[in-house]
Amino acid sequence: MSRTEAPIPSHARPQAHHQAHPHDLIQAAGELAGLPELPRRGRGLSLRTLIVLRWLAVIGQTSAILTAYFALHFPLPLWECLTVIGAGVAMNLATMARARRIDGSLPDGPRTAAQLGFDILQLATLLALTGGLANPFCLLLVAPVTIAAAALPARQAVILGVMALIAVGFLFSWSLPLPWRQHEHLELPGLYRLGLGLALVTGVLFTAGYAWKVAADADKLELALATTQDVLQREQRLAALGGLAAAAAHELGTPLATIQVVAKEMLRDAPAGSPAAEDAALILQQAERCRDILKQLSAQPEEGDALFADIGLKALLEEVAEPHRGFDLDFDIALKIPSGQDAPRLRRLPEIVHGLSTLVENAADFATARVQLTAVVDAGWIEIDIVDDGPGFASEILPRLGEPYVTSRPQAKARRALAAQIASATRPARRERRAPPPPVTAPIAPSQGGMGLGFFIARTLLERSGAKVSVGAGDAAKGQPGGARVSVRWPRQVLEVTASAMEGDGT
């Protein structure tokens, strides 16, 4: 079984972790990408861009025709050529008038396809009047198809590509002679013209295919980066919410203390057992309850709140491992620190928590029985190794690991266990003893991940925090599956919170 990256962590997390669950975001990204057009946007070009490109083509065509006729004295059908060029001018003027009525700066796929189709017909007609495939400018037929492949959906790009190939076949079958010097006639052999046609067809197909692939990769990367940014923004909003809660608890402490002082004075002045005394006692009781709630909101990280700016190194490892415990896996957490030193406190960045959680879930899903998290601290670096005893990274996936949409992910172990628990709870009780049900092997609860964005997002977030992420084989014994290792390494000064900084925050 091969392994790749994890999706966004999907297991239930304790409330103290306040982890975002961007599965819906990933699914929405997948639906947006689509299946047959994955992940092309196909928005086309704006009318303004098409107008500028056609004016450049008209200027170039006019210059070439006039130079050949008046400067080189080539006998060519001048007025017929100028008429074809004039058709391009008329189309551009009509497009400009339409762009004034609508927002010409917005992309428009169908209009882009229609405009490029006209350009192919206009250029093919002009080439037919000036030598066909013998005209060296026949190479320009590649341009509209390349633009279509880069900017349009596959269906429209294929239609325009077929139009260009039909134009090549027509130019091979019929065209006027190539204009040449007076009293000279240039006739290319048929086999050479066939070679020119095949070369042009090959150029159209190769260039269009290359442009389509580059545009598709760019769209996938843009979608993945947008998803990463959305995940990070959600994490940052949650972290900011924790800071606001702590600030609110601090601000509410003063008026609450005033309420308690006034209530005590009311209780002292009121006769014992009177309604006023009971009301004052109730106010004191509820004020004390409010004070306890505010203490919980403003508690220090070691008291359970995980949304403060710094966190202990071991507490960080426990936090990212805790959601995955209880699924027949052993989690070993170890710290390797120079003797005589305390474990450093780290900046608790949402990027780090989310990225490590994703990597740990990946290890938990592929592990057989054990996942090991080891933090190594030295004078200049802090490194966290995540090692599992699973099958390891597939050789065909390893060179591309970290790219978006690269995955061969199986169903998550945690979701299989959850599906088995649900099936067991809903199975009707029977009086007689029966053989235990077979293990759940069929995909019962499909994973919400598996799009190949998990490792990409984790790596992007971690590298954004200053880390360097590397992957390799694990520490399995001889004859056992190799396992996998993911190492995340930060410069210590980037990640560690110094004592002076903590004192400054405390003041």
Side-chain angles (χ1 to χ4, degrees):
M1 183 182 295
S2 61
R3 65 170 289 158
T4 58
E5 67 283 15
I8 306 305
S10 60
H11 308 304
R13 284 167 167 73
Q15 186 176 1
H17 289 277
H18 301 279
Q19 276 294 104
H21 298 275
H23 282 131
D24 295 338
L25 181 63
I26 299 296
Q27 283 187 312
E31 294 172 359
L32 178 64
L35 292 178
E37 299 290 344
L38 180 68
R40 301 295 309 283
R41 295 171 306 209
R43 296 179 299 184
L45 300 176
S46 66
L47 290 180
R48 293 178 182 176
T49 301
L50 293 172
I51 290 170
V52 171
L53 292 177
R54 184 172 290 118
W55 279 131
L56 293 176
V58 166
I59 293 173
Q61 293 170 358
T62 305
S63 300
I65 293 296
L66 296 179
T67 300
Y69 189 82
F70 291 105
L72 300 178
H73 305 288
F74 287 174
L76 52 81
L78 176 63
W79 293 110
E80 290 85 349
C81 293
L82 293 180
T83 300
V84 174
I85 297 175
V89 173
M91 173 62 79
N92 226 24
L93 293 176
T95 304
M96 292 175 62
R98 185 177 185 84
R100 293 190 187 99
R101 295 194 301 269
I102 62 176
D103 190 354
S105 63
L106 297 178
D108 192 323
R111 290 194 180 93
T112 299
Q115 297 282 338
L116 293 177
F118 172 82
D119 290 335
I120 293 175
L121 293 177
Q122 190 254 4
L123 181 59
T125 304
L126 191 60
L127 289 173
L129 295 174
T130 55
L133 295 183
N135 190 326
F137 290 102
C138 65
L139 183 63
L140 294 175
L141 282 172
V142 176
V145 184
T146 303
I147 296 174
L152 295 178
R155 180 180 300 177
Q156 298 175 359
V158 168
I159 292 175
L160 292 175
V162 171
M163 287 183 58
L165 297 182
I166 293 175
V168 172
F170 174 77
L171 293 175
F172 176 78
S173 302
W174 181 89
S175 66
L176 294 180
L178 177 68
W180 201 246
R181 298 186 183 94
Q182 293 183 355
H183 311 298
E184 293 184 18
H185 181 67
L186 179 62
E187 181 69 26
L188 298 178
L191 183 60
Y192 186 79
R193 292 174 59 248
L194 177 62
L196 288 176
L198 293 177
L200 188 56
V201 169
T202 303
V204 168
L205 295 177
F206 176 80
T207 307
Y210 182 81
W212 186 91
K213 179 62 177 174
V214 170
D217 290 344
D219 288 344
K220 289 193 296 183
L221 183 59
E222 180 180 349
L223 178 61
L225 289 174
T227 305
T228 304
Q229 188 65 28
D230 288 339
V231 170
L232 180 58
Q233 288 177 355
R234 293 182 65 179
E235 292 282 357
Q236 290 174 338
R237 285 196 295 268
L238 288 174
L241 182 61
L244 289 175
H250 177 73
E251 295 295 333
L252 290 174
T254 301
L256 186 59
T258 303
I259 292 174
Q260 286 182 308
V261 171
V262 174
K264 288 179 181 179
E265 293 179 355
M266 291 173 59
L267 181 61
R268 184 177 63 249
D269 297 339
S274 65
E278 293 178 358
D279 292 342
L282 180 60
I283 293 174
L284 279 175
Q285 179 185 358
Q286 295 303 315
E288 189 63 31
R289 181 184 176 189
C290 291
R291 181 171 291 278
D292 293 338
I293 295 174
L294 294 179
K295 285 181 179 179
Q296 293 178 3
L297 289 176
S298 58
Q300 294 301 315
E302 60 269 14
E303 297 174 10
D305 196 330
L307 282 175
F308 278 78
D310 60 277
I311 187 173
L313 180 55
K314 187 171 184 180
L316 175 63
L317 299 182
E318 293 284 355
E319 177 179 345
V320 298
E322 181 63 29
H324 312 288
R325 296 184 187 272
F327 296 105
D328 299 328
L329 287 177
D330 293 330
F331 280 83
D332 299 332
I333 297 178
L335 301 181
K336 296 182 179 179
I337 303 172
S339 59
Q341 296 185 14
D342 296 329
R345 296 195 65 83
L346 312 179
R347 299 169 59 201
R348 192 189 183 282
L349 300 176
E351 300 97 315
I352 295 175
V353 176
H354 189 92
L356 291 178
S357 297
T358 302
L359 298 179
V360 171
E361 181 179 359
N362 185 45
D365 284 339
F366 288 96
T368 302
R370 182 177 64 89
V371 176
Q372 182 175 355
L373 280 70
T374 305
V376 181
V377 181
D378 58 25
W381 301 90
I382 296 177
E383 181 173 345
I384 296 177
D385 293 334
I386 303 171
V387 182
D388 64 69
D389 59 352
F393 294 110
S395 58
E396 66 273 13
I397 294 295
L398 191 58
R400 301 176 56 201
L401 194 61
E403 298 178 9
Y405 304 99
V406 175
T407 182
S408 60
R409 178 178 182 78
Q411 188 183 24
K413 181 181 299 182
R415 283 180 284 273
R416 292 201 305 268
L418 181 59
Q421 294 172 8
I422 295 175
S424 177
T426 56
R427 188 180 297 113
R430 300 182 183 273
R431 293 183 179 179
E432 64 275 17
R433 297 185 61 184
R434 295 182 180 270
V440 178
T441 56
I444 297 177
S447 170
Q448 291 183 339
M451 284 187 62
L453 288 178
F455 193 90
F456 170 80
I457 291 177
R459 184 170 186 171
T460 301
L461 293 178
L462 291 171
E463 289 181 347
R464 182 170 181 166
S465 70
K468 180 179 180 182
V469 181
S470 58
V471 298
D475 300 327
K478 185 176 182 181
Q480 299 295 326
R485 174 191 297 271
V486 180
S487 299
V488 188
R489 184 180 175 92
W490 292 270
R492 185 164 178 172
Q493 68 273 14
V494 170
L495 195 60
E496 184 179 11
V497 178
T498 61
S500 58
M502 288 189 291
E503 291 175 0
D505 293 340
T507 59

